[in-house]
Each structure stands twice: as structure tokens, then as C-alpha cells.
Coordinates of all heavy atoms in Angstrom, one line a residue:
T1 N 23.0 -27.1 14.7 CA 24.0 -28.1 14.4 C 25.3 -27.5 13.9 O 25.2 -26.4 13.3 CB 23.4 -29.1 13.3 OG1 23.0 -28.3 12.2 CG2 22.3 -29.9 13.8
Y2 N 26.4 -28.2 14.1 CA 27.7 -27.6 13.7 C 28.7 -28.7 13.4 O 28.5 -29.8 13.7 CB 28.2 -26.7 14.9 CG 28.7 -27.5 16.1 CD1 30.1 -27.9 16.1 CD2 27.9 -27.8 17.1 CE1 30.6 -28.6 17.2 CE2 28.4 -28.6 18.2 CZ 29.7 -28.9 18.2 OH 30.2 -29.7 19.3
E3 N 29.8 -28.2 12.9 CA 31.0 -29.0 12.7 C 32.2 -28.1 12.8 O 32.1 -26.9 12.5 CB 31.0 -29.8 11.4 CG 31.2 -28.8 10.2 CD 31.2 -29.6 8.8 OE1 31.3 -30.8 8.8 OE2 31.1 -28.9 7.8
V4 N 33.3 -28.7 13.3 CA 34.6 -28.0 13.3 C 35.5 -28.8 12.5 O 35.7 -30.0 12.7 CB 35.2 -27.9 14.8 CG1 36.5 -27.2 14.7 CG2 34.2 -27.1 15.7
I5 N 36.1 -28.1 11.4 CA 37.0 -28.8 10.5 C 38.4 -28.3 10.8 O 38.7 -27.1 10.5 CB 36.6 -28.5 9.1 CG1 35.2 -29.0 8.8 CG2 37.6 -29.2 8.1 CD1 34.7 -28.7 7.4
V6 N 39.3 -29.1 11.3 CA 40.7 -28.7 11.6 C 41.5 -29.2 10.3 O 41.5 -30.4 10.0 CB 41.3 -29.4 12.8 CG1 42.7 -29.0 13.0 CG2 40.4 -29.0 14.1
V7 N 42.0 -28.2 9.6 CA 42.8 -28.5 8.4 C 44.3 -28.4 8.8 O 44.8 -27.3 9.1 CB 42.5 -27.5 7.3 CG1 43.3 -27.9 6.0 CG2 41.0 -27.5 7.0
D8 N 45.0 -29.6 8.9 CA 46.4 -29.6 9.2 C 47.2 -29.4 7.9 O 47.2 -30.2 7.0 CB 46.8 -31.0 9.8 CG 48.2 -31.1 10.2 OD1 49.0 -30.2 9.8 OD2 48.6 -32.0 10.9
D9 N 47.8 -28.2 7.8 CA 48.4 -27.7 6.6 C 49.9 -28.3 6.5 O 50.8 -27.5 6.4 CB 48.4 -26.2 6.6 CG 48.8 -25.6 5.2 OD1 48.7 -26.4 4.2 OD2 49.3 -24.5 5.2
G10 N 50.0 -29.6 6.5 CA 51.3 -30.2 6.3 C 52.2 -30.0 7.5 O 53.4 -29.8 7.3
S11 N 51.7 -30.0 8.7 CA 52.5 -29.8 9.9 C 53.6 -30.8 10.1 O 53.4 -32.0 9.7 CB 51.6 -29.7 11.1 OG 50.6 -28.7 11.1
R12 N 54.6 -30.4 10.8 CA 55.7 -31.3 11.1 C 55.6 -31.8 12.6 O 56.4 -32.5 13.0 CB 57.1 -30.6 10.9 CG 57.3 -30.3 9.4 CD 58.8 -29.8 9.2 NE 59.0 -28.5 10.0 CZ 58.8 -27.3 9.5 NH1 58.3 -27.2 8.3 NH2 59.1 -26.3 10.2
D13 N 54.6 -31.2 13.3 CA 54.5 -31.6 14.7 C 53.3 -32.5 14.9 O 52.9 -33.2 13.9 CB 54.4 -30.4 15.6 CG 53.1 -29.6 15.3 OD1 52.3 -29.9 14.4 OD2 52.9 -28.5 16.0
Q14 N 52.7 -32.5 16.0 CA 51.5 -33.4 16.3 C 50.2 -32.8 16.2 O 49.2 -33.2 16.9 CB 51.7 -34.0 17.8 CG 53.0 -34.8 18.0 CD 53.1 -36.0 17.1 OE1 52.2 -36.8 17.0 NE2 54.2 -36.2 16.4
T15 N 50.0 -31.8 15.3 CA 48.8 -31.1 15.2 C 47.6 -32.1 14.9 O 46.6 -32.0 15.5 CB 48.9 -30.0 14.1 OG1 49.8 -29.0 14.5 CG2 47.5 -29.4 13.8
T16 N 47.8 -33.0 13.9 CA 46.7 -33.9 13.6 C 46.4 -34.8 14.8 O 45.2 -35.0 15.1 CB 47.2 -34.8 12.4 OG1 47.2 -34.0 11.2 CG2 46.2 -35.9 12.2
K17 N 47.4 -35.2 15.5 CA 47.1 -36.1 16.7 C 46.3 -35.4 17.7 O 45.4 -35.9 18.3 CB 48.4 -36.6 17.2 CG 48.3 -37.6 18.4 CD 49.7 -38.1 18.8 CE 49.6 -39.1 19.9 NZ 50.9 -39.6 20.4
V18 N 46.7 -34.1 17.9 CA 45.9 -33.3 18.9 C 44.5 -33.1 18.5 O 43.5 -33.2 19.3 CB 46.6 -31.9 19.1 CG1 45.7 -30.9 19.9 CG2 48.0 -32.1 19.8
A19 N 44.3 -32.8 17.2 CA 42.9 -32.6 16.7 C 42.1 -33.8 16.8 O 40.9 -33.8 17.1 CB 43.0 -32.1 15.2
L20 N 42.7 -35.0 16.5 CA 42.0 -36.2 16.6 C 41.5 -36.6 18.0 O 40.5 -37.3 18.1 CB 42.9 -37.4 16.0 CG 43.0 -37.4 14.5 CD1 44.1 -38.4 14.1 CD2 41.7 -37.7 13.8
K21 N 42.1 -36.1 19.0 CA 41.7 -36.3 20.4 C 40.3 -35.6 20.6 O 39.4 -36.2 21.3 CB 42.7 -35.7 21.4 CG 44.0 -36.5 21.5 CD 44.9 -35.9 22.5 CE 46.2 -36.7 22.6 NZ 47.2 -36.1 23.5
Y22 N 40.1 -34.5 19.9 CA 38.8 -33.8 20.0 C 37.8 -34.6 19.2 O 36.6 -34.6 19.6 CB 38.9 -32.4 19.6 CG 39.7 -31.5 20.6 CD1 41.1 -31.4 20.5 CD2 39.0 -30.9 21.6 CE1 41.8 -30.6 21.4 CE2 39.7 -30.2 22.6 CZ 41.1 -30.0 22.5 OH 41.8 -29.3 23.4
S23 N 38.2 -35.1 18.1 CA 37.3 -35.9 17.3 C 36.8 -37.1 18.0 O 35.6 -37.5 18.0 CB 38.0 -36.3 16.0 OG 37.1 -37.1 15.1
Q24 N 37.7 -37.7 18.8 CA 37.4 -38.9 19.6 C 36.4 -38.5 20.7 O 35.5 -39.3 21.0 CB 38.7 -39.5 20.2 CG 38.4 -40.8 20.9 CD 39.7 -41.4 21.4 OE1 40.7 -40.7 21.7 NE2 39.8 -42.8 21.4
K25 N 36.6 -37.4 21.3 CA 35.8 -36.9 22.4 C 34.4 -36.5 22.0 O 33.4 -36.9 22.7 CB 36.5 -35.8 23.2 CG 35.7 -35.2 24.4 CD 36.5 -34.1 25.1 CE 35.7 -33.6 26.3 NZ 36.5 -32.5 27.0
Y26 N 34.3 -35.8 20.9 CA 33.0 -35.2 20.5 C 32.4 -35.9 19.3 O 31.2 -35.7 19.0 CB 33.2 -33.7 20.1 CG 33.6 -32.8 21.3 CD1 34.9 -32.6 21.6 CD2 32.6 -32.3 22.1 CE1 35.2 -31.8 22.7 CE2 32.9 -31.5 23.2 CZ 34.2 -31.2 23.5 OH 34.5 -30.4 24.6
G27 N 33.2 -36.8 18.7 CA 32.6 -37.6 17.6 C 33.1 -36.9 16.2 O 33.2 -35.7 16.1
S28 N 33.2 -37.8 15.2 CA 33.7 -37.3 14.0 C 32.7 -36.6 13.1 O 33.0 -36.0 12.1 CB 34.2 -38.5 13.1 OG 33.2 -39.5 12.9
E29 N 31.4 -36.6 13.6 CA 30.4 -35.8 12.9 C 30.6 -34.3 13.4 O 30.2 -33.4 12.6 CB 29.0 -36.2 13.3 CG 28.5 -37.4 12.4 CD 28.4 -37.0 10.9 OE1 27.6 -36.1 10.7 OE2 29.1 -37.5 10.1
K30 N 31.1 -34.1 14.5 CA 31.3 -32.7 15.0 C 32.7 -32.2 14.9 O 32.8 -31.0 14.6 CB 30.9 -32.6 16.5 CG 29.4 -32.8 16.8 CD 29.1 -32.6 18.3 CE 27.6 -32.7 18.5 NZ 27.2 -32.5 19.9
V31 N 33.7 -33.0 15.0 CA 35.1 -32.5 14.8 C 35.7 -33.4 13.7 O 35.9 -34.6 13.9 CB 35.9 -32.6 16.1 CG1 37.3 -32.2 15.9 CG2 35.3 -31.8 17.2
R32 N 36.0 -32.8 12.6 CA 36.6 -33.4 11.5 C 38.0 -33.0 11.2 O 38.3 -31.8 11.4 CB 35.7 -33.2 10.2 CG 34.2 -33.2 10.6 CD 33.3 -33.3 9.3 NE 33.1 -34.7 9.0 CZ 32.4 -35.1 8.0 NH1 31.9 -34.2 7.1 NH2 32.1 -36.4 7.7
V33 N 38.9 -33.9 10.9 CA 40.3 -33.6 10.7 C 40.7 -33.9 9.3 O 40.5 -35.0 8.8 CB 41.2 -34.4 11.7 CG1 42.6 -34.0 11.6 CG2 40.7 -34.2 13.1
L34 N 41.2 -32.8 8.6 CA 41.6 -33.0 7.2 C 43.1 -32.7 7.1 O 43.6 -31.5 7.0 CB 40.9 -32.0 6.3 CG 41.2 -32.0 4.8 CD1 40.9 -33.3 4.2 CD2 40.4 -30.9 4.1

């Protein structure tokens, strides 16, 4: 079992939006966006 935690360090671009696409594809249990 695994999880990937993408930590958006106050980005000014669309980093969070890009990461959330993976959360949507794989599920929020596997890809988490902080």
C-alpha cells in the first residue's frame, strides 16, 4: 500500500490543479494534495 503526498509550497502557478488531476484519477487515498 502507498500514498503520494504532493505539497504545494505556496506556488503561484497551477501546481495544485495539476496534482488534483492525479488525485481524481487514482483516488484521494493514493494521491493527496496539501
Side-chain angles (χ1 to χ4, degrees):
T1 53
Y2 75 88
E3 67 179 350
V4 178
I5 302 173
V6 179
V7 185
D8 183 347
D9 191 21
S11 298
R12 296 188 298 269
D13 66 358
Q14 301 298 311
T15 295
T16 289
K17 187 176 180 180
V18 169
L20 285 172
K21 290 181 179 179
Y22 289 91
S23 182
Q24 185 175 33
K25 180 177 179 180
Y26 292 92
S28 58
E29 276 296 298
K30 289 184 174 179
V31 179
R32 320 193 91 181
V33 183
L34 179 60

